[in-house]
């Protein structure tokens, strides 16, 4: 099994835990604080959601700089599917969500993905309905070409939203002809 940890995820966790980790006297205390902070956010989101969300996968794009034409021609880039979740905005205005979705992967086979997402939210204009987000998602997926063995994944997360509609996206890093995929979906809050 493969665990994907990216630099944006590490930087995000660093920002999330800067206060508590700075107070920690050892690396172990810093890790314990980070885990406790993550666990508290997931638990609060599960126990006290503010809204229900519909997820609609929109695009899977294989980075043309890392794939040869033969692979690009045979891969699916229309991830038909759907999903659902619950979410909330915390006391700092940041988004927290728990979700599950299923979509057609690059080989046109069904792939489920479920997990927790967190985004730092900015409202850069006067209209408070407009927002930008940057954070991470941590979850589990399973793919046909991996015999549907559950695989953990930690990925960067970004979004642009207005009112109840949000366009979220991630990038799955990889090597030549493997990974390096931009994946995006629409999220509608009820």
């Amino acid at each position: 099994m493969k665990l994907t940890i990216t630099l944006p995820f590490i930087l995000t966790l660093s920002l999330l835990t800067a206060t508590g980790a700075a107070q920690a006297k050892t690396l172990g205390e810093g890790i314990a604080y980070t885990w406790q902070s993550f666990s508290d956010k997931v638990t609060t989101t599960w126990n006290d959601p503010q809204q229900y969300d519909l997820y609609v996968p929109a695009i899977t794009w294989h980075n043309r700089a890392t794939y040869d034409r033969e692979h690009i021609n045979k891969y699916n880039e229309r991830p038909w599917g759907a999903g659902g979740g619950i979410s909330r905005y915390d006391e700092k205005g940041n988004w927290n969500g728990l979700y599950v979705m299923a979509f057609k992967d690059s080989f046109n086979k069904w792939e489920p993905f479920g997990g927790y997402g967190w985004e730092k939210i900015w409202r850069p204009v006067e209209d408070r309905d407009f927002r930008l987000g940057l954070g991470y998602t941590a979850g589990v997926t399973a793919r046909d070409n991996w015999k549907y063995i559950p695989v953990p994944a930690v990925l960067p997360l970004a979004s642009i939203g207005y009112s109840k509609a949000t366009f979220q996206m991630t990038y799955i890093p990889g090597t030549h002809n493997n990974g390096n995929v931009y994946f995006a979906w629409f999220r509608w809050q009820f």
Side-chain angles (χ1 to χ4, degrees), residues 21-133:
Q23 295 169 355
K25 294 183 173 121
T26 67
L27 177 61
E29 288 175 350
I31 292 170
Y33 177 85
T34 299
W35 178 253
Q36 188 62 51
S37 175
F38 175 81
S39 298
D40 290 348
K41 289 178 188 338
V42 171
T43 301
T44 303
T45 303
W46 178 258
N47 290 331
D48 192 23
Q50 295 168 346
Q51 62 252 341
Y52 294 92
D53 303 317
L54 171 67
Y55 287 76
V56 180
I59 187 170
T60 301
W61 180 78
H62 299 80
N63 187 333
R64 292 342 193 222
T66 63
Y67 279 90
D68 58 44
R69 178 57 47 198
E70 178 185 345
H71 283 85
I72 294 296
N73 290 341
K74 69 180 180 180
Y75 285 157
N76 172 43
E77 292 192 323
R78 297 290 174 248
W80 302 106
I86 54 175
S87 62
R88 68 183 179 88
Y89 288 92
D90 62 26
E91 65 282 350
K92 295 179 181 175
N94 298 321
W95 179 81
N96 296 260
L98 292 166
Y99 64 92
V100 63
M101 66 176 130
F103 52 89
K104 293 291 197 144
D105 70 8
S106 300
F107 301 105
N108 212 27
K109 303 287 186 175
W110 286 106
E111 178 178 349
F113 192 100
Y116 167 78
W118 178 89
E119 286 184 334
K120 167 76 176 155
I121 299 297
W122 291 274
R123 299 184 190 272
V125 296
E126 223 173 283
D127 186 344
R128 303 302 289 164
D129 280 340
F130 179 77
R131 65 193 171 279
L132 300 172

Side-chain angles (χ1 to χ4, degrees), residues 135-170:
Y136 69 92
T137 185
V140 176
T141 191
R143 296 173 52 97
D144 178 73
N145 60 320
W146 298 337
K147 300 181 174 146
Y148 286 104
I149 295 170
V151 177
V154 179
L155 299 166
L157 192 59
S159 70
I160 183 168
Y162 188 83
S163 187
K164 296 180 180 212
T166 303
F167 185 73
Q168 281 185 301
M169 61 205 88
T170 190

